[in-house]
């Protein structure tokens, strides 16, 4: 189902990589569209499976999911009501057994209910819940969950000011170092931030964190961008430059917020733009790592508040993004000689296409009416081509092999 503001994680189970999606908000973007649905994506078979609903009383958004051992931990999030208290942060810790795909009893509750937090796993043993929103304000808390003992501890908090406290920030852990960027502060209309914060965990005393001075990134603010580690560096995919409520309308003024396309990367001293996404996407909050060189970007919000069901595979060596074929576009035959048919089940309106050769040169282009268009290229040399499709709010790129007969 189209979903955004969901908890997402990945795990290798019995030698097979899986991506998990928990809760979120679907098309409509009202509080009635917040759900408890849960899904598992099996990468090897390119197949989605339904899981039992998240075991909470109501749907929720802005939770985070982490994997330790053979269990996924879905922590925090918030519920939305039509009346007071309107929004309520959660202290729940839901535990999914990844071998049996069944929910266990909840873990010990989070001491300070939390949502929209930064969440990372240290040495496959401790889950760090860093800053975030708790009911009425951003908090400086760093709460640490020990799955082995089902217990919570308090680590060194972030500095108690708007340079560090944030909701909707994206963070990663590299070695013993937490790096998070962006998010919204508690100033008027919750402005999005362009700050990189770094905390070094003391390996001998993991509840001790040395928080370094916050640094301006220089490539613009980011809110709810997807964090990942690429080439050993913190990287943020998509997100937005403007903070917004769960309905994708800006806190300041209520306008529709457009997603960013820049892929940002921090080298320890400088933030640079290392690429762009082939589609506009925000409201990710997490990117799933599936092995050493691949990431999965699933769902989110696109242009004009469109809630997405798209799934993108990101190869990080080199960085290249192409959408998987999941009830999405297919090319046939492939390899092809003179003509290829493109079928995109969800594209029922106008569809533009561009074919480029291995050097990136455009060799053919056109426009058709979805969901099926035909591309004739019989006069082109044999070799590898890419086909780029666009419906105006979604894009896709696929490979095409041209044969000589």
């Amino acid at each position: 189902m189209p979903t955004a503001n969901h908890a997402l994680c990945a795990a290798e189970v019995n030698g097979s990589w899986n991506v998990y999606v928990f809760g979120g908000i679907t098309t409509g973007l009202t509080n009635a569209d917040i759900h408890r649905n849960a899904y598992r994506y099996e990468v090897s078979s390119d197949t989605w499976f339904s899981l039992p609903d998240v075991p909470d009383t109501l749907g929720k958004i802005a939770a985070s999911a982490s994997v330790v051992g053979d269990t996924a931990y879905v922590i925090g999030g918030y519920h939305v009501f039509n009346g007071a208290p309107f929004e309520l942060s959660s202290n729940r810790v839901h535990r999914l057994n990844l071998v049996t795909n069944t929910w266990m009893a909840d873990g010990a509750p989070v001491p300070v209910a939390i949502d929209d937090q930064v969440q990372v796993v240290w040495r496959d043993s401790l889950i760090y819940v860093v800053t975030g929103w708790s009911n009425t304000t951003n908090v400086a808390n760093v709460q640490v969950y020990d799955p082995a003992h089902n217990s919570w501890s308090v680590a060194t908090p972030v500095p108690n000011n708007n340079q560090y406290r944030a909701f909707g920030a994206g963070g990663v852990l590299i070695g013993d170092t937490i790096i998070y960027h962006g998010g919204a502060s508690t100033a008027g209309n919750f402005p999005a931030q362009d700050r990189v914060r770094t905390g070094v965990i003391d390996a001998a005393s993991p509840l001790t964190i040395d928080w370094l001075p916050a640094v301006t990134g220089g490539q613009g603010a980011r809110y709810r961008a997807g964090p990942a580690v690429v080439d050993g560096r913190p990287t943020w995919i998509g997100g937005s430059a403007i903070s917004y409520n769960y309905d994708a309308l800006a806190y300041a003024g209520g306008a529709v917020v457009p997603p960013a396309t820049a892929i940002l990367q921090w080298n320890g001293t400088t933030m640079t733009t290392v690429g762009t996404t082939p589609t506009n996407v925000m409201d990710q909050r997490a990117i799933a790592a599936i092995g050493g060189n691949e990431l999965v970007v699933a769902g989110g919000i696109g242009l004009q508040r469109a809630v997405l069901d798209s799934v993108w595979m990101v190869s990080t060596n080199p960085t290249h993004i192409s959408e998987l074929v999941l009830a999405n576009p297919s090319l046939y035959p492939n390899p092809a000689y003179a003509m290829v048919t493109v079928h995109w089940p969800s594209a029922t309106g106008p569809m533009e296409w561009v074919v480029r050769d291995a050097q990136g040169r455009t060799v053919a282009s056109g426009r058709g009416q979805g969901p099926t268009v035909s591309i004739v290229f019989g006069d082109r040399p044999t070799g590898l081509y890419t086909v780029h499709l666009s419906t105006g709010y979604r894009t896709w790129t696929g490979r095409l092999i041209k044969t000589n007969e």
Side-chain angles (χ1 to χ4, degrees), residues 9-36:
C9 62
E12 190 175 17
V13 180
N14 296 324
S16 176
W17 277 100
N18 295 266
V19 177
Y20 301 86
V21 172
F22 305 107
I25 189 168
T26 191
T27 302
L29 293 177
T30 71
N31 65 326
D33 300 307
I34 297 172
H35 61 85
R36 297 189 298 124

Side-chain angles (χ1 to χ4, degrees), residues 32-334:
D33 300 307
I34 297 172
H35 61 85
R36 297 189 298 124
N37 299 62
Y39 301 97
R40 175 176 67 91
Y41 172 63
E42 188 177 75
V43 176
S44 61
S45 66
D46 187 17
T47 305
W48 282 95
F49 301 90
S50 292
L51 294 170
D53 288 352
V54 175
D56 208 328
T57 55
L58 294 169
K60 61 184 173 183
I61 49 180
S64 292
S66 298
V67 172
V68 176
D70 60 2
T71 304
Y73 299 85
V74 183
I75 298 175
Y78 73 96
H79 309 288
V80 181
F81 306 91
N82 288 324
F86 296 103
E87 296 181 359
L88 183 66
S89 300
S90 174
N91 67 353
R92 302 284 293 272
V93 178
H94 307 299
R95 303 187 292 184
L96 180 73
N97 184 310
L98 300 177
V99 177
T100 63
N101 293 310
T102 57
W103 293 102
M104 302 182 290
D106 275 4
V110 189
V112 176
I114 201 72
D115 63 74
D116 252 328
Q117 69 267 27
V118 173
Q119 189 165 301
V120 297
V121 176
W122 182 74
R123 301 192 181 188
D124 197 34
S125 63
L126 300 176
I127 301 174
Y128 286 69
V129 176
V130 181
T131 188
W133 183 268
S134 183
N135 289 318
T136 59
T137 188
N138 279 333
V139 296
N141 304 67
V142 177
Q143 307 179 85
V144 181
Y145 181 65
D146 181 350
H149 299 93
N150 189 28
S151 62
W152 286 91
S153 300
V154 175
T156 308
V158 304
N160 193 22
N161 59 60
N162 277 344
Q163 291 191 35
Y164 292 83
R165 293 187 317 237
F167 67 91
V172 298
L173 181 70
I174 300 177
D176 295 328
T177 302
I178 301 168
I179 306 104
Y180 68 100
H181 175 252
S185 76
T186 50
N189 291 317
F190 309 114
Q193 303 184 46
D194 178 22
R195 294 188 181 94
V196 180
R197 303 80 153 191
T198 302
V200 182
I201 299 170
D202 184 341
S205 177
L207 299 181
T208 301
I209 304 173
D210 181 17
W211 290 104
L212 306 181
V215 178
T216 299
Q219 294 294 312
R222 278 294 179 274
Y223 178 71
R224 287 184 180 162
V229 177
V230 177
D231 297 330
R233 295 176 176 178
T235 305
W236 292 269
I237 297 175
S240 67
I242 302 169
S243 62
Y244 54 87
N245 208 342
Y246 62 85
D247 56 8
L249 300 178
Y251 284 117
V256 174
V257 172
T261 59
I263 301 174
L264 305 181
Q265 191 170 81
W266 178 249
N267 67 8
T269 58
T270 305
M271 185 78 80
T272 58
T273 297
V274 295
T276 58
T277 63
T279 190
N280 299 79
V281 62
M282 64 186 192
D283 221 45
Q284 289 286 343
R285 304 198 63 255
I287 302 294
I290 54 167
N293 293 313
E294 291 183 313
L295 309 169
V296 171
V297 180
I301 295 177
L303 293 172
Q304 296 302 313
R305 303 173 65 231
V307 183
L308 306 177
D309 63 356
S310 53
V311 177
W312 297 78
M313 185 74 73
V314 185
S315 173
T316 63
N317 188 23
T319 301
H320 175 71
I321 302 179
S322 59
E323 191 172 9
L324 291 172
V325 180
L326 304 167
N328 279 325
S330 57
L331 304 176
Y332 57 89
N334 190 10

